[in-house]
Amino acid sequence: METKKKSSMLRKQWPFWVMIAPGMLYLLINNYGPMCGLFIAFKQIDYSKGIWKSPWIGFENFTYLFKTDAAFLITKNTILYNLLFIAVGTVMGIATGIMLSELRKKFETKFFQTVILLPYLLSWVICAYIGYAFLSKDTGLINGILRTFGMEAVDWYNDPGKWPFILLFVNVWKGLGYSSIVYMSTIIGIDRSLYESAMVDGATKLAQIRYITIPLLKSTVIMLTIMSIGRMFYSDFGLFYQMPMNSGTLYSTTQTIDTYVYRALMQQSNIGMSSAAGFYQSIVGFILVLTANAIVRKFSAENAMF
Amino acid sequence: MKLKRVAALACAAMMTVGMLAGCGGGDDAGASAGGQGAGAAGAAGGTENAGGAAAGSDDGAAANGEVEEIVFATFLSKTVDMKQIEDEINKITEPKIGVRVHIEGISMANYTNQIGLMQSGGEQLDLMGFIGTYSPWLANNQLMSMDGYIDEYGAGIKEVVGEEFLKSTTSGGSLYAVPTYNGKAAVMNIVLRKDLIEELDLPVDQLKLAANLDEYCENLDLIGEMFAKIKEAHPELVCLVPASTAPNSLLFTRVPFVDNLNDSRGVLMPGEDSTVTNLYESEDYARLLQYAYEWNQAGYILEDATTTQEAANTYVQNGRTAGYFIVGEEGQAEQITTATGVEVESIKLVQPFIATTDVNSLGFAISATSEHPEAAMKFLNEMYTNADIVNLLDWGIEGVHYEVKPDGTVDFPEGVDANTTTYGLNMDWFFGNQFLSYIWGEGRDTSVYERLDANNKSAQCTPVMGFSYDSTKVSTQIASVSNVVSEYQPGLECGAVNPETELPKFIEALNSAGLQEIIAEKQAQLDAWKAENQ
């Protein structure tokens, strides 16, 4: 009985299995295969001996991430920026998603959606130069305006205090298009009759959003947040390296784990140390995802991812 | 809804896979076609060059009819079809030395990674060029000792490069690489626009080749006065832009006659040959930083100096700057003028001083994984002694990529230019013996190689030529020191911050990042090296 049910299911589903097979295969080769290489983090690679025969050195490759004064700074920066981005990014994403879904004309929706999405599609190098066009001390637009009004030019790239705001702004500007589309697609999927009956009951637009849209968005929000929490120990290299134009003076507010590792290893081709950094980030990320999910499950089990 | 999502995901995945497969397939096809082509060309080369073989048959290598195939990996300044060059080279090398070479051109950005992958992945790799990676490769045991091969198959190399320079790639008494032979005696230059020199009658002829820091500072004083004149006459101009980006630096703050011992973290100060010290803590460095700061305060330096990613020449071309400092050799001004279309003069400011890394930053080594070291050495020898091979690598195929002009230089043939050429690497500074190659650009001074060669031979060399230090024991400290240096160096060396307040912070940060441990390790290695070699 059981087997019969199974085989009939397989018969019905086989096209989907075939369709998904290349993707699964790709995932296995691209994302799971390389995990075997994690042991490199514990080796001192000696090319003449090959990877397998190189000596094991325990956690020595990891020390540079923890041993120095910078360790605290980079961890703090990475985590705080990520928390900030998750909070502000989610709020802005939901707000924009709701606003987009409230647009009546199809043309308007498409137009604003495209305009908001555009930055997401730009490479960081281009974004960095757009920023540079605004912020450059010599030729920048903002300083040009300040100078015409007889004000002192601001040396943006040598003033670390301003960068948390700039980075937040740029990150939201760039990521908004994508996150708002995700939220908008969920909103569009909400049963219209809920709104209709709410309207009949005299609910205002704001009340509809407050009592229908946002509660129904909850599971999407939780899913996206858990996913971002998993990447808490990563930072967008482009944002933190390209955007500040690699300016040394800004390190106190722009240095994150990824940029630190990059700068630390630029001069040494040490694959042991670089995989140590990756290993550390992914293990911590993994633990964070499990923890976040466990917490969610405890409070509302139906919203947990697994 | 859910079904749709799954379907969409699957489609996306399939498209991605399809793309990857497409790329892979294309590569394979190309590679196999290339392989066939090589075989065919090899055969053709064999017959065509029967006459040529006779001329070179005293080597006798081809007589027994065995041709060894080697893989020669090199970084390239741009993506070009190396196959065409390879075929022409094989026409010469197969009959002459019995070596068929496959050139694996790799883009500069991926080069070091790619070599590591080739070696760890067991791909064939025999000869490889390097740019700045001699020491790490040596430390990682990526190089094979050349001792057993250089005397027998590389005699020409020894003669060209010379004892002193070969020391730079010798470790523990064994030779591990061969440096490129080109102009090594590069020194600090000030580049200034010719029209400004003439218009303001700038006393550039009073600048002299400094023999010590005091004389160098006299030069800088004089240059400061010139900047003042330029600024007064042309307030819209800046006088200096950084010629080095990532990290940004105006360069002139490099203390002359210092041996950086690979990486400036622990150096030999001028005249010193045994005690390693911290360059950044030296009075000399502070003295030069003071110039940078004063000049910045006076408005001589580009305001975006610490962040700009533009090449200095771009600023010259756009008429934004009067000049810049650069480390250069003979013919520097000509090169800049060719690149920018702006007439400039480039004046040397110090006497040459050659440190180990000046010599071994570029060169060639045999891979530790090579199974054909003799063949690799034979081919390498050709790169230092055979002008035909050098010119093929430097400029391409005569008549296709270049032609010889009446004055002995070479230039594009009729109907070909920098945009349409299928070669045009412009890497004559790299492949073997540069002085065997033609000089590019009709009208250029053809005697420049003689002067470069003479400078190489007469220049003062570091007392510890050949000392290369292995940083693996202090890689943790280097990792954090690198971060400190990239934090402070651009600001200080572009004059954007006041050295009086920032330099002490820099030094303190360096020490807390572990610079003293690096210096101690370097000192220990230097002592050991001296005991063994001197």
Side-chain angles (χ1 to χ4, degrees):
Chain A
M1 186 69 193
E2 183 83 331
T3 44
K4 201 178 167 193
K5 198 175 160 197
K6 239 185 198 167
S7 71
S8 84
M9 242 171 79
L10 202 69
R11 205 173 314 139
K12 251 194 266 171
Q13 292 175 342
W14 73 265
F16 304 119
W17 287 108
V18 170
M19 279 163 89
I20 210 170
M24 295 292 274
L25 205 65
Y26 169 73
L27 204 68
L28 276 176
I29 295 169
N30 190 65
N31 293 15
Y32 285 86
M35 280 188 198
C36 306
L38 283 178
F39 71 92
I40 289 175
F42 304 98
K43 285 212 162 214
Q44 164 127 36
I45 297 300
D46 181 333
Y47 286 86
S48 65
K49 293 182 189 145
I51 287 175
W52 289 108
K53 290 185 184 141
S54 297
W56 295 94
I57 52 166
F59 283 91
E60 206 171 295
N61 282 331
F62 290 82
T63 48
Y64 79 108
L65 291 169
F66 306 103
K67 209 180 154 190
T68 61
D69 305 351
F72 176 69
L73 176 81
I74 58 176
T75 314
K76 182 191 85 178
N77 276 350
T78 312
I79 293 177
L80 287 184
Y81 273 118
N82 271 318
L83 285 176
L84 191 68
F85 292 164
I86 292 172
V88 178
T90 309
V91 172
M92 295 290 287
I94 293 173
T96 317
I98 292 173
M99 284 191 266
L100 279 175
S101 65
E102 292 296 331
L103 288 171
R104 289 291 150 78
K105 293 193 187 105
K106 201 170 177 198
F107 167 77
E108 285 176 354
T109 323
K110 292 279 167 221
F111 176 76
F112 286 112
Q113 215 177 325
T114 313
V115 170
I116 300 173
L117 189 63
L118 196 63
Y120 182 75
L121 304 171
L122 294 178
S123 96
W124 272 117
V125 178
I126 294 171
C127 295
Y129 276 93
I130 293 176
Y132 195 61
F134 280 94
L135 303 176
S136 154
K137 192 175 180 196
D138 187 35
T139 50
L141 190 64
I142 295 181
N143 281 327
I145 294 171
L146 290 178
R147 282 196 184 105
T148 36
F149 289 108
M151 281 185 277
E152 189 89 350
V154 180
D155 199 352
W156 298 94
Y157 289 96
N158 285 313
D159 187 350
K162 298 193 168 63
W163 280 82
F165 303 101
I166 298 175
L167 291 176
L168 177 64
F169 177 81
V170 172
N171 188 60
V172 169
W173 169 74
K174 198 163 189 304
L176 192 59
Y178 185 75
S179 63
S180 65
I181 284 179
V182 173
Y183 291 117
M184 197 180 91
S185 62
T186 317
I187 294 168
I188 287 173
I190 296 173
D191 192 349
R192 285 285 116 192
S193 59
L194 291 173
Y195 293 98
E196 279 156 23
S197 53
M199 269 192 309
V200 172
D201 289 343
T204 59
K205 201 93 236 177
L206 276 178
Q208 289 173 28
I209 291 169
R210 167 79 180 74
Y211 293 105
I212 300 174
T213 315
I214 290 181
L216 286 171
L217 273 177
K218 203 166 96 185
S219 62
T220 312
V221 173
I222 289 174
M223 187 184 76
L224 290 179
T225 310
I226 291 178
M227 279 162 69
S228 337
I229 287 174
R231 299 197 56 81
M232 190 92 116
F233 267 61
Y234 291 86
S235 57
D236 194 332
F237 182 78
L239 176 66
F240 291 96
Y241 185 85
Q242 307 282 8
M243 215 42 222
M245 303 297 275
N246 189 20
S247 173
T249 357
L250 303 178
Y251 283 6
S252 57
T253 53
T254 61
Q255 185 86 294
T256 60
I257 296 176
D258 296 79
T259 58
Y260 183 81
V261 170
Y262 179 79
R263 286 173 181 129
L265 299 182
M266 267 295 276
Q267 294 205 334
Q268 331 176 38
S269 51
N270 191 328
I271 59 173
M273 281 161 86
S274 46
S275 39
F279 188 81
Y280 167 59
Q281 288 177 309
S282 45
I283 290 294
V284 177
F286 184 64
I287 294 169
L288 284 173
V289 167
L290 289 184
T291 322
N293 193 63
I295 294 171
V296 171
R297 200 169 43 210
K298 196 159 185 200
F299 291 103
S300 76
E302 76 272 22
N303 284 319
M305 274 170 84
F306 45 84
Chain B
M1 180 69 203
K2 198 168 184 187
L3 203 114
K4 241 186 187 169
R5 228 187 290 158
V6 172
L9 188 76
C11 280
M14 270 173 84
M15 273 160 73
T16 323
V17 173
M19 259 154 62
L20 288 169
C23 296
D27 273 3
D28 281 350
S32 64
Q36 281 163 19
T47 48
E48 252 178 54
N49 260 294
S57 66
D58 49 1
D59 289 64
N64 54 24
E66 271 178 42
V67 174
E68 273 188 277
E69 175 153 338
I70 62 165
V71 173
F72 166 36
T74 174
F75 55 90
L76 299 180
S77 55
K78 61 175 188 175
T79 311
V80 293
D81 173 20
M82 290 306 286
K83 183 77 185 54
Q84 43 175 348
I85 307 299
E86 193 180 300
D87 290 344
E88 291 297 318
I89 288 176
N90 286 332
K91 281 184 199 167
I92 300 171
T93 56
E94 281 185 35
K96 191 175 172 195
I97 54 170
V99 174
R100 182 190 302 136
V101 59
H102 169 67
I103 302 176
E104 186 75 40
I106 300 166
S107 82
M108 198 85 92
N110 298 331
Y111 187 65
T112 311
N113 280 337
Q114 200 71 36
I115 292 291
L117 288 173
M118 284 174 84
Q119 289 183 321
S120 57
E123 270 178 68
Q124 188 188 351
L125 175 63
D126 301 290
L127 188 62
M128 53 201 191
F130 55 80
I131 177 163
T133 51
Y134 167 73
S135 305
W137 282 1
L138 183 69
N140 287 342
N141 282 330
Q142 286 170 270
L143 311 180
M144 184 184 283
S145 162
M146 291 179 168
D147 287 348
Y149 316 107
I150 183 104
D151 288 321
E152 196 171 340
Y153 307 110
I157 301 176
K158 277 186 116 170
E159 198 175 311
V160 169
V161 180
E163 196 96 332
E164 186 68 19
F165 286 179
L166 281 179
K167 277 189 202 165
S168 74
T169 47
T170 303
S171 171
S174 294
L175 185 71
Y176 281 96
V178 177
T180 295
Y181 197 65
N182 56 11
K184 302 285 186 195
V187 297
M188 194 60 65
N189 279 241
I190 173 84
V191 176
L192 284 170
R193 260 165 55 183
K194 212 167 195 166
D195 59 331
L196 292 171
I197 296 176
E198 277 157 18
E199 179 195 324
L200 302 169
D201 202 16
L202 301 176
V204 286
D205 44 348
Q206 287 177 30
L207 295 168
K208 52 190 178 289
L209 288 180
N212 52 44
L213 185 71
D214 287 330
E215 287 182 19
Y216 182 62
C217 287
E218 280 168 30
N219 278 339
L220 293 181
D221 289 331
L222 198 63
I223 290 168
E225 286 165 27
M226 295 183 202
F227 287 167
K229 277 190 199 164
I230 295 171
K231 197 73 199 170
E232 198 188 325
H234 297 278
E236 79 286 358
L237 279 183
V238 293
C239 303
L240 280 183
V241 293
S244 158
T245 55
N248 286 29
S249 171
L250 298 173
L251 294 183
F252 78 90
T253 50
R254 288 193 187 169
V255 182
F257 310 109
V258 165
D259 185 340
N260 285 329
L261 303 178
N262 291 30
D263 58 3
S264 303
R265 325 312 192 217
V267 303
L268 293 179
M269 292 305 287
E272 182 59 57
D273 69 349
S274 53
T275 312
V276 182
T277 49
N278 179 1
L279 166 75
Y280 304 112
E281 220 168 339
S282 69
E283 275 172 32
D284 298 359
Y285 184 63
R287 187 169 167 191
L288 293 178
L289 289 185
Q290 201 56 40
Y291 281 95
Y293 184 61
E294 276 167 22
W295 288 350
N296 199 321
Q297 292 295 301
Y300 302 159
I301 296 172
L302 184 77
E303 284 186 313
D304 289 332
T306 52
T307 43
T308 182
Q309 302 293 316
E310 294 291 344
N313 277 346
T314 313
Y315 287 103
V316 173
Q317 204 164 9
N318 297 337
R320 181 84 182 87
T321 185
Y324 57 87
F325 285 96
I326 189 151
V327 179
E329 246 285 18
E330 302 286 329
Q332 184 69 43
E334 263 184 331
Q335 279 175 27
I336 298 168
T337 302
T338 317
T340 61
V342 178
E343 292 264 336
V344 297
E345 274 192 39
S346 183
I347 303 118
K348 289 186 175 184
L349 299 174
V350 281
Q351 289 174 4
F353 175 81
I354 302 181
T356 306
T357 40
D358 295 330
V359 186
N360 71 15
S361 62
L362 294 172
F364 302 88
I366 297 178
S367 165
T369 58
S370 171
E371 286 170 12
H372 309 276
E374 299 97 353
M377 182 55 79
K378 283 180 202 165
F379 178 72
L380 190 56
N381 196 50
E382 293 296 300
M383 282 169 59
Y384 284 80
T385 53
N386 188 337
D388 293 338
I389 301 284
V390 173
N391 278 316
L392 273 167
L393 287 165
D394 286 356
W395 308 125
I397 301 161
E398 185 168 1
V400 179
H401 304 114
Y402 72 89
E403 64 182 23
V404 183
K405 301 289 176 186
D407 62 356
T409 61
V410 291
D411 216 323
F412 288 119
E414 191 75 16
V416 179
D417 63 32
N419 297 320
T420 60
T421 182
T422 55
Y423 197 59
L425 289 178
N426 292 323
M427 280 170 59
D428 54 325
W429 42 268
F430 181 57
F431 293 113
N433 181 358
Q434 187 187 15
F435 301 159
L436 287 179
S437 78
Y438 289 115
I439 288 178
W440 189 272
E442 199 169 2
R444 289 277 292 278
D445 177 4
T446 48
S447 67
V448 66
Y449 286 159
E450 284 158 36
R451 297 205 303 276
L452 291 174
D453 200 14
N455 288 350
N456 276 355
K457 300 222 152 76
S458 67
Q460 181 193 346
C461 286
T462 173
V464 295
M465 181 62 83
F467 170 66
S468 265
Y469 114 104
D470 170 8
S471 62
T472 37
K473 273 193 199 152
V474 284
S475 44
T476 303
Q477 289 84 345
I478 291 189
S480 33
V481 166
S482 299
N483 268 289
V484 173
V485 170
S486 55
E487 178 170 358
Y488 287 93
Q489 193 187 29
L492 286 166
E493 295 195 356
C494 293
V497 295
N498 188 348
E500 263 177 45
T501 58
E502 293 299 310
L503 186 58
K505 279 193 216 163
F506 180 28
I507 294 167
E508 200 195 312
L510 283 171
N511 288 333
S512 78
L515 182 63
Q516 292 308 328
E517 290 159 55
I518 298 175
I519 290 177
E521 172 65 24
K522 229 180 209 180
Q523 184 72 60
Q525 290 188 24
L526 182 66
D527 293 343
W529 180 85
K530 281 179 84 90
E532 195 176 338
N533 291 283
Q534 285 183 352

